[in-house]
Amino acid sequence: EKGNYRHFMAKEIAEQPDVVGHTLAHHLDMAKGRARIPEGIDFKKLDRIAFSACGTAYYAGLVARYWFEKLARIPVDIDIASEFRYREPPLKPGGLAILISQSGETADTLATLRHCKEQGMQIASVVNVTSSTIARESDAILPTLGGPEIGVASTKAFTCQLATLAALAVAAGKARGVLSDDDEQRLVASLVELPRLMAETLKLEPQIERIAKDLAKAQDALYLGRGTSFPIAMEGALKLKEISYIHAEGYAAGELKHGPIALVDEKMPVVVLAPYDTLFEKTVSNMQEVAARGGKVLLVTDPDGAKEAAGEFETLIVPKSYAFVTPMIYAIPMQLLAYHTAVFMGTDVDQPRNLAKSVTVE
Ligand code: F6R
């Protein structure tokens, strides 16, 4: 039930510190500071991993690519399930395919699973519904412990997918000898701390509600990010499209000048996700390019980034965290922004037009 919440989506956004905590407790040995290695997967033997999924779950896979390549030095292929199947990529028997799906029933993701299986690949799936077809047909199940997600727009399922994949990337890095015991402990500690930081981030809701009032007047919006913030920008744009019906696009910040900047004028809100890291300066110069054309920047950053940008832009300040866990933190303002914009516009937040919770046709 919705309890005191106006919509299931609001409830599911608020539940995230808890359900991400449960999910992490499943995939980590918190007392020992280790990530658990799923039975049957030998990361040492693999020379690449193929990820596939649809929609929001695909964005979780895009974030995971950064983690697996950096922490486990394993090349990652990732494609949208509806493309993967027909692209005819050369697949290696014995290779690992990881499918990501909240419902575990998405037709394209299931068809990809079966295709990979026919090619002799080992199948692991990150699923929320563990009784689903995708779970049943997988060799290894990596459950997200999000509980039932009722709102059509995925929120808690997404951050639980990220939490699961983060833990798995650490396990892979350790198994492949890329991460030392110390590295593993440090990364696990940053995950253990995450639910508290997510709860902290939820406190931005009143400020986000005020910003959403303006965003509700926009016709289009751009979302920009670099590194793992790039898929989170795409997820932010998807959330806004889905429930407020405002056209939005997520772009890699570095791509701005290769096209989308032509769209920028006084009417264009530009949401910029920029944790204070080595790429921050580059993203600031992208923001200045937007501001110089009259575009309205909303900067989402941490206290150090806010200090550096020195009040030049409207700013949402999320808690400081290790770079590793920023995707799960920055996802929250994206969800709240879309949610409150949709509430202002009076759309059917939990049941947006034309969308179904589980897409069982191609
Ligand atoms: C977006 C959303 C969809 C799903 C996609 C995959 O908010 O909910 O994009 O993420 O349809 O669904 P699952 O994860 O059930 O395979």
Side-chain angles (χ1 to χ4, degrees), residues 54-57 100-104 106 109 152-154 161 235 238-239 242 357 359:
C54 302
T56 288
I100 310 164
S101 175
Q102 187 285 127
S103 63
T106 301
T109 312
V152 163
S154 183
Q161 286 162 351
E235 168 62 4
L238 178 63
K239 287 288 91 91
E242 283 183 293
K357 185 67 190 159
V359 183

Side-chain angles (χ1 to χ4, degrees), residues 2 35 47 53 56 64 71 73 85 108-109 121 142 163 183-184 195 243 247 255 260 284 299 304 309 313 329 335 359:
K2 276 191 287 223
D47 51 20
T56 288
L71 303 176
R73 306 302 301 154
R85 298 166 54 198
D108 284 309
T109 312
M121 294 184 85
L142 301 154
D183 295 332
E184 183 182 29
I243 60 170
H247 169 238
E255 275 289 293
V284 168
L299 169 61
D304 293 339
F313 314 100
I329 293 173
Q335 299 162 348
V359 183

Side-chain angles (χ1 to χ4, degrees), residues 6 201-217 298 314 316 332-333 335-345:
R6 198 161 152 197
T201 308
L202 285 168
K203 294 185 189 155
L204 289 168
E205 187 155 8
Q207 191 192 348
I208 294 174
E209 199 175 346
R210 286 195 295 278
I211 294 167
K213 214 169 187 168
D214 274 340
L215 188 56
K217 294 179 207 138
L298 171 63
E314 176 154 31
L316 266 176
I332 291 177
Q335 299 162 348
L336 288 172
L337 195 56
Y339 173 73
H340 285 290
T341 303
V343 169
F344 275 121
M345 298 181 78

Side-chain angles (χ1 to χ4, degrees), residues 214-222 240-241 244-249 263 265-269 341 345:
D214 274 340
L215 188 56
K217 294 179 207 138
Q219 297 240 320
D220 310 89
L222 270 180
L240 190 72
K241 279 185 265 214
S244 76
Y245 315 142
I246 294 173
H247 169 238
E249 291 193 61
L263 295 168
D265 63 14
E266 315 72 53
K267 284 187 290 198
M268 175 71 94
T341 303
M345 298 181 78

Side-chain angles (χ1 to χ4, degrees), residues 63-326:
V63 172
R65 171 164 64 184
Y66 289 84
W67 289 333
F68 277 85
E69 295 197 338
K70 182 168 178 191
L71 303 176
R73 306 302 301 154
I74 184 160
V76 166
D77 303 307
I78 170 153
D79 214 335
I80 297 162
S82 56
E83 288 300 316
F84 186 96
R85 298 166 54 198
Y86 302 111
R87 204 157 52 87
E88 300 186 32
L91 300 172
K92 201 172 152 192
L96 177 67
I98 302 183
L99 291 315
I100 310 164
S101 175
Q102 187 285 127
S103 63
E105 301 296 345
T106 301
D108 284 309
T109 312
L110 177 59
T112 298
L113 180 156
R114 289 176 177 160
H115 174 73
C116 291
K117 215 171 190 179
E118 272 163 27
Q119 307 292 308
M121 294 184 85
Q122 191 188 10
I123 311 291
S125 60
V126 176
V127 286
N128 198 40
V129 181
T130 48
S131 56
S132 60
T133 314
I134 288 177
R136 275 201 315 274
E137 297 192 13
S138 298
D139 302 308
I141 303 174
L142 301 154
T144 54
L145 277 66
E149 192 179 61
I150 311 294
V152 163
S154 183
T155 53
K156 63 175 179 174
F158 178 60
T159 46
C160 287
Q161 286 162 351
L162 289 174
T164 301
L165 291 162
L168 191 67
V170 174
K174 188 69 202 315
R176 291 169 67 79
V178 181
L179 300 176
S180 65
D181 282 341
D182 277 2
D183 295 332
E184 183 182 29
Q185 300 254 352
R186 193 173 37 80
L187 291 163
V188 168
S190 72
L191 290 172
V192 170
E193 190 198 24
L194 176 63
R196 187 180 63 74
L197 297 178
M198 293 176 80
E200 214 32 57
T201 308
L202 285 168
K203 294 185 189 155
L204 289 168
E205 187 155 8
Q207 191 192 348
I208 294 174
E209 199 175 346
R210 286 195 295 278
I211 294 167
K213 214 169 187 168
D214 274 340
L215 188 56
K217 294 179 207 138
Q219 297 240 320
D220 310 89
L222 270 180
Y223 286 69
L224 305 176
R226 289 174 185 266
T228 52
S229 297
F230 166 38
I232 302 301
M234 289 196 276
E235 168 62 4
L238 178 63
K239 287 288 91 91
L240 190 72
K241 279 185 265 214
E242 283 183 293
I243 60 170
S244 76
Y245 315 142
I246 294 173
H247 169 238
E249 291 193 61
Y251 261 97
E255 275 289 293
L256 183 68
K257 50 172 97 46
H258 299 286
I261 197 160
L263 295 168
V264 174
D265 63 14
E266 315 72 53
K267 284 187 290 198
M268 175 71 94
V270 182
V271 181
V272 181
L273 307 182
Y276 189 66
D277 58 17
T278 49
L279 301 171
F280 186 78
E281 283 308 312
K282 292 190 196 300
T283 309
V284 168
S285 71
N286 298 135
M287 287 190 287
Q288 284 158 344
E289 286 157 7
V290 169
R293 284 154 188 88
K296 257 195 96 198
V297 173
L298 171 63
L299 169 61
V300 187
T301 187
D302 50 38
D304 293 339
K307 209 162 118 200
E308 197 66 27
E312 255 186 275
F313 314 100
E314 176 154 31
T315 307
L316 266 176
I317 305 178
V318 302
K320 172 132 206 81
S321 67
Y322 285 100
F324 178 43
V325 300
T326 55

